[in-house]
Amino acid sequence: QVQLVESGGGLVQAGGSLRLSCAASGRTFSSYDMGWFRRAPGKEREFVAFINWSAGNTYYVDSVKGRFTISRDNAKNTVYLQMNSLKPEDTAVYYCAGGRPLRPEAQNSYTYWGQGTQVTVSS
């Protein structure tokens, strides 16, 4: 069993940066692939970024490529999402997820989910 807790959200002006963290409990964290998703107001939850268990592979939705970076520290059981050049359209609740997904963006194939952290980008 793995529990995920996100932190690092907040209010930032457009062009600013935030780093989200997702702390995992459980000794099996390092064996799971991890993803970040977000749900904007009035929209469905969408895929943002993925990192495989060894941190050898990453994958991003086109809208965040070049601005967001996903990373992980398996010794600390933590996955990060560094968000730079934030835009108002990045405003959303951000969730981390873990598991062995069939595809990075396949939400239904992630096993574990955090409760989310709010990111608000003002213009």
Side-chain angles (χ1 to χ4, degrees):
Q1 188 75 9
V2 174
Q3 291 185 323
L4 304 175
V5 179
E6 302 95 336
S7 62
L11 174 64
V12 64
Q13 289 187 329
S17 298
L18 284 174
R19 187 176 81 155
L20 305 184
S21 299
C22 174
S25 64
R27 293 177 292 176
T28 56
F29 169 79
S30 61
S31 69
Y32 290 119
D33 299 333
M34 299 296 295
W36 284 97
F37 294 80
R38 65 186 180 187
R39 188 195 304 271
K43 296 186 178 180
E44 294 185 351
R45 189 168 59 190
E46 66 170 354
F47 167 78
V48 176
F50 165 90
I51 188 166
N52 77 328
W53 66 273
S54 67
N57 289 311
T58 58
Y59 181 67
Y60 300 89
V61 68
D62 285 348
S63 60
V64 308
K65 284 180 181 177
R67 300 189 298 122
F68 290 11
T69 302
I70 189 171
S71 61
R72 67 189 295 163
D73 185 337
N74 286 342
K76 295 182 178 180
N77 279 11
T78 303
V79 63
Y80 305 97
L81 186 67
Q82 178 66 45
M83 306 186 296
N84 299 328
S85 302
L86 282 161
K87 304 175 181 180
E89 51 263 43
D90 295 317
T91 294
V93 177
Y94 283 72
Y95 302 88
C96 67
R100 298 185 177 93
L102 299 176
R103 292 175 290 109
E105 66 274 23
Q107 298 187 41
N108 291 340
S109 59
Y110 284 82
T111 305
Y112 305 106
W113 288 86
Q115 293 300 306
T117 185
Q118 176 71 47
V119 171
T120 303
V121 184
S122 63
S123 57

